[in-house]
Amino acid sequence: MCGIYGGAATGGGSLRTPESFERMGARLTHRGPDGRGALTNDAARLGVERLRVVDPHPRSDQPFRDPSGTVWLACNGEIYNTADLRRRYADYPYRSRSDIEPILPLYLHRGPDGLTDLDGMFAIALWDASRCRLVLARDRAGEKPLFYTRTGPDVWFGSEIQALLEDPTRSRELDPAAVGDLTTLGYVRQPRTLFADIRSVEPGTVRTFEPRGDTAIRFWNPAEVSPQRHSVEDAERRLDRLLQGAVARQVAADVPIGVFTSGVVDSGLLAALAARLVGPGALHTFTVGFGERGYDERTPAARLARAVGTRHIAVVCDEPARREALEALTSRLAEPVADPAALPTYLLARTAREHVTAVLSGEGADELFGGYPTYLGHRAAPWFAGLPAPVRRALRRVVNALPPSSGKVPLEALLKRFVAGAALPPGERHVAWFGSGADDLSVAGASAVTAFDAVSSDDVLRCAMLFDYLTYLPNQLLVKVDRATMLASLEARSPYLDHRLTEFALALEPSLKVRGLTTKWLLKRVARRWLPRSVVRRRKRGLSVPVGAWINGSLRPEVDRLLAPARLRGEGVLHGDRVQHLLGEHRRGARDYARALWPLIIFQYWRERWLGR
């Protein structure tokens, strides 16, 4: 795991602004505090800040270069099929046991197309001096980040945006569509970023820059996975085998490894399978707890740890700790991480780093196996639409009259979202249910979100899950877990995103994922082989913080400052009147608008730190 950065004169000649290169590395030290390396000449610069996980010896520090010295390689991530690549290219003169180095003979043999053979989580930069070619690539799901920008004919790249801002000549113009995404969805859809001239390499893509022009190869398109039918017994057997294989590949490391868990089925399965592979008492599990009622996961997580035999550690996310996490995330990252779960994730990672160097995390399970209440809503929407109009109106009045709840997963909030969006077309209602809960609050009004425009299937559940895999997962969840863990110099791995497991899950019939009122139906059948039934039956709670109460409580002065009407009018980016209406409703207790307000608060922190007043 690393932070990678650099630039190349892909039009020929020399880099025009090489002086920012050293400063770029300093912005990424948290991603790799164990070793630093760089390769430089007039035409290119490649730098790596390394976190030593596989072959911790300095001989594996990057960047690597081929024997001729013309091809340079920097990679952030882990390659899980490295043993196969070493057998395939056994004659290559390796200098290390690194899982990254075999990428070089693969590229020398097959060029950029060869990178599509990689199995793992990765962000790659290759400089091929013989062709004046820069190659940037990302893994299928988008677990590892990679951003790039052009400065004239030069292309600069980095694992995080703040590295690219070290060039003082770089424009910091806002992208209006990205702001609209943030206010509507709570995240920015890749390849956009909030900066108009900085883009993200898209998941499952190899992007090549050379004198003859730029090209992009999309080697992974989940929308093209064909549906397949399985009997329940066959599907359960295959899922169990695939999940065991994914965990086995991802617990392999030369450093201690642990698991983030909350005492529910997703992370519980990972903990049970990893503990079986690592050995009794050798695996650490970590959970986070809150003082607020209904938010604390420590008791069920401790029960799970006892059941599977791990060394368990709980972290408390109290008010001072939340403020510390908020300061770290908003001051050290030049992108707004607007998922409130980033706060406890950072605190969890900071404590975990005292004991392990890498952790397994459960991202992807909900999108692949049908874990969100939204999917139940899609199943119930036709029933609601079939009721007589007077009955629907009466139900809406009853539901909207329910008082707001401060619970972690409040039923009244779910019901209010359901009745508000149930009559909409499927794509629109999915965005209404899954987004921030507010209309576009940006002045430009540039966000246009059509949920199912990339999906041809007429199966609403299949479309909804695929949309979430393509958008919410890479743009929100994986951003949250990568940035929060790497700020603490901790590597996070997501076994559910193993590409074999992912392809199997995407091809499954939705009826094997959501059945009756049960979400993750098939995954829970497998979990019963490994976990106590109390864990399997426990309702998903999610990792979050009580930001609604925080907005009205101790964070109130900060919120009032950041969202002050005069300030918003002067900045001209957010609709001050609409924002004040949401805040007023939230403060009066008329409606819980925390989900809509939190991205605005984070955006204003981001704007203050990275754009100035």
Side-chain angles (χ1 to χ4, degrees):
M1 188 65 67
C2 305
I4 64 174
Y5 57 98
T10 60
S14 302
L15 277 169
R16 285 148 183 81
T17 55
E19 60 277 0
S20 61
F21 177 71
E22 288 294 331
R23 298 193 300 273
M24 293 174 72
R27 287 291 191 184
L28 299 175
T29 304
H30 57 275
R31 296 189 69 92
D34 299 333
R36 169 177 290 184
L39 293 174
T40 65
N41 61 25
D42 288 344
R45 301 270 197 283
L46 257 70
V48 178
E49 307 290 319
R50 185 185 175 211
L51 179 66
R52 294 171 178 157
V53 177
V54 176
D55 189 14
H57 194 279
R59 68 192 168 209
S60 289
D61 287 354
Q62 301 180 51
F64 289 106
R65 56 185 167 189
D66 77 318
S68 71
T70 58
V71 178
W72 301 351
L73 166 67
C75 177
N76 165 35
E78 306 292 344
I79 306 300
Y80 301 132
N81 63 334
T82 186
D84 294 337
L85 294 174
R86 283 181 178 268
R87 283 192 294 270
R88 189 190 306 181
Y89 302 108
D91 294 335
Y92 184 83
Y94 298 102
R95 83 178 196 207
S96 71
R97 294 191 297 107
S98 167
D99 59 318
I100 303 302
E101 193 176 5
I103 297 173
L104 273 175
L106 176 65
Y107 173 82
L108 293 172
H109 178 219
R110 296 190 52 209
D113 289 349
L115 302 183
T116 65
D117 287 355
L118 296 176
D119 172 12
M121 56 174 188
F122 55 83
I124 292 170
L126 274 158
W127 169 244
D128 186 340
S130 65
R131 295 173 175 83
C132 202
R133 172 195 286 167
L134 177 67
V135 181
L136 303 178
R138 281 184 77 195
D139 62 73
R140 292 166 176 81
E143 292 185 69
K144 295 295 104 187
L146 188 57
F147 300 94
Y148 69 95
T149 187
R150 279 195 174 276
T151 303
D154 300 343
V155 178
W156 290 89
F157 64 88
S159 292
E160 292 176 8
I161 291 175
Q162 64 270 16
L164 296 174
L165 299 181
E166 284 304 311
D167 182 349
T169 66
R170 182 103 48 233
S171 167
R172 299 199 181 191
E173 179 185 352
L174 280 173
D175 183 333
V179 179
D181 272 3
L182 187 66
T183 63
T184 304
L185 297 169
Y187 55 81
V188 176
R189 289 175 290 173
Q190 300 172 34
R192 295 184 184 277
T193 75
L194 282 179
F195 294 102
D197 68 343
I198 297 177
R199 289 292 179 259
S200 171
V201 177
E202 294 170 280
T205 300
V206 178
R207 188 168 286 277
T208 303
F209 307 87
E210 49 193 336
R212 64 183 180 182
D214 305 345
T215 59
I217 303 169
R218 187 175 185 187
F219 64 91
W220 166 241
N221 184 356
E224 295 177 352
V225 176
S226 300
Q228 295 182 4
R229 288 186 173 274
H230 300 275
S231 68
V232 171
E233 294 75 16
D234 177 56
E236 183 179 337
R237 186 167 51 251
R238 291 188 61 188
L239 176 55
D240 188 31
R241 185 174 67 250
L242 287 167
L243 189 54
Q244 288 188 60
V247 173
R249 281 184 287 276
Q250 298 199 24
V251 295
D254 295 326
V255 294
I257 196 163
V259 180
F260 283 169
T261 182
S262 59
V264 294
V265 65
D266 305 351
S267 56
L269 253 177
L270 299 183
L273 294 175
R276 176 172 169 266
L277 291 164
V278 173
L283 184 76
H284 282 83
T285 49
F286 305 90
T287 195
V288 66
F290 301 85
E292 290 82 357
R293 183 182 177 185
Y295 284 78
D296 204 324
E297 301 286 340
R298 284 175 288 183
T299 299
R303 290 196 197 106
L304 170 67
R306 287 193 295 271
V308 301
T310 66
R311 301 167 65 183
H312 189 64
I313 296 171
V315 179
V316 178
C317 183
D318 57 14
E319 170 83 13
R322 290 199 291 267
R323 283 190 171 275
E324 189 175 352
L326 180 62
E327 169 63 21
L329 288 161
T330 54
S331 67
R332 296 170 62 188
L333 298 174
E335 60 182 316
V337 183
D339 185 345
L343 304 179
T345 302
Y346 169 73
L347 298 172
L348 201 57
R350 192 175 59 178
T351 296
R353 188 62 178 90
E354 298 172 4
H355 305 273
V356 300
T357 309
V359 294
L360 305 185
S361 188
E363 276 68 31
D366 289 311
E367 293 77 12
L368 292 171
F369 294 101
Y372 294 123
T374 314
Y375 307 143
L376 296 176
H378 284 302
R379 279 280 168 87
W383 166 83
F384 184 80
L387 294 174
V391 176
R392 291 200 304 271
R393 288 194 294 269
L395 283 174
R396 286 194 184 97
R397 284 195 298 271
V398 170
V399 168
N400 287 323
L402 294 172
S405 169
S406 60
K408 193 171 187 178
V409 188
L411 179 61
E412 59 82 19
L414 295 177
L415 290 173
K416 286 175 181 176
R417 283 190 172 234
F418 174 78
V419 298
L424 296 172
E428 292 182 32
R429 74 173 178 242
H430 191 70
V431 172
W433 287 344
F434 219 71
S436 67
D439 293 332
D440 188 351
L441 297 168
S442 64
V443 170
S447 181
V449 184
T450 304
F452 301 156
D453 55 0
V455 185
S456 59
S457 171
D458 58 0
D459 187 309
V460 173
L461 273 190
R462 188 183 297 278
C463 290
M465 293 179 207
L466 185 54
F467 176 79
D468 293 340
Y469 175 89
L470 289 167
T471 58
Y472 182 64
L473 176 68
N475 299 311
Q476 178 86 309
L477 298 184
L478 295 180
V479 169
K480 172 256 299 181
V481 74
D482 175 82
R483 306 308 185 273
T485 55
M486 291 309 295
L487 273 179
S489 304
L490 180 75
E491 174 176 293
R493 302 176 175 184
S494 301
Y496 288 106
L497 298 179
D498 175 274
H499 78 89
R500 302 165 190 82
L501 183 57
T502 294
E503 288 184 21
F504 170 76
L506 289 171
L508 283 174
E509 299 172 70
S511 61
L512 290 175
K513 302 177 184 183
V514 179
R515 184 165 292 196
L517 295 178
T518 301
T519 56
K520 287 184 289 197
W521 185 80
L522 182 64
L523 190 66
K524 289 174 180 177
R525 283 182 66 94
V526 172
R528 285 200 290 266
R529 299 181 176 195
W530 303 99
L531 295 170
R533 286 188 175 268
S534 60
V535 175
V536 178
R537 290 195 301 265
R538 188 166 181 267
R539 186 160 64 100
K540 180 179 176 63
R541 307 290 293 179
L543 179 63
S544 191
V545 297
V547 293
W550 204 15
I551 290 170
N552 287 348
S554 60
L555 201 62
R556 183 174 188 135
E558 276 292 277
V559 173
D560 289 343
R561 179 181 69 83
L562 293 167
L563 301 182
R567 176 175 178 152
L568 297 186
R569 282 195 300 273
E571 292 170 347
V573 178
L574 300 178
H575 274 296
D577 292 343
R578 296 185 194 172
V579 173
Q580 284 302 306
H581 172 74
L582 294 183
L583 185 58
E585 292 283 286
H586 184 82
R587 289 267 169 82
R588 287 192 296 273
R591 194 75 177 260
D592 183 0
Y593 278 116
R595 192 168 178 171
L597 290 168
W598 190 251
L600 309 182
I601 294 165
I602 295 299
F603 173 74
Q604 288 299 94
Y605 273 121
W606 173 86
R607 181 181 174 87
E608 187 172 75
R609 171 64 180 83
W610 298 100
L611 294 188
R613 291 296 298 273

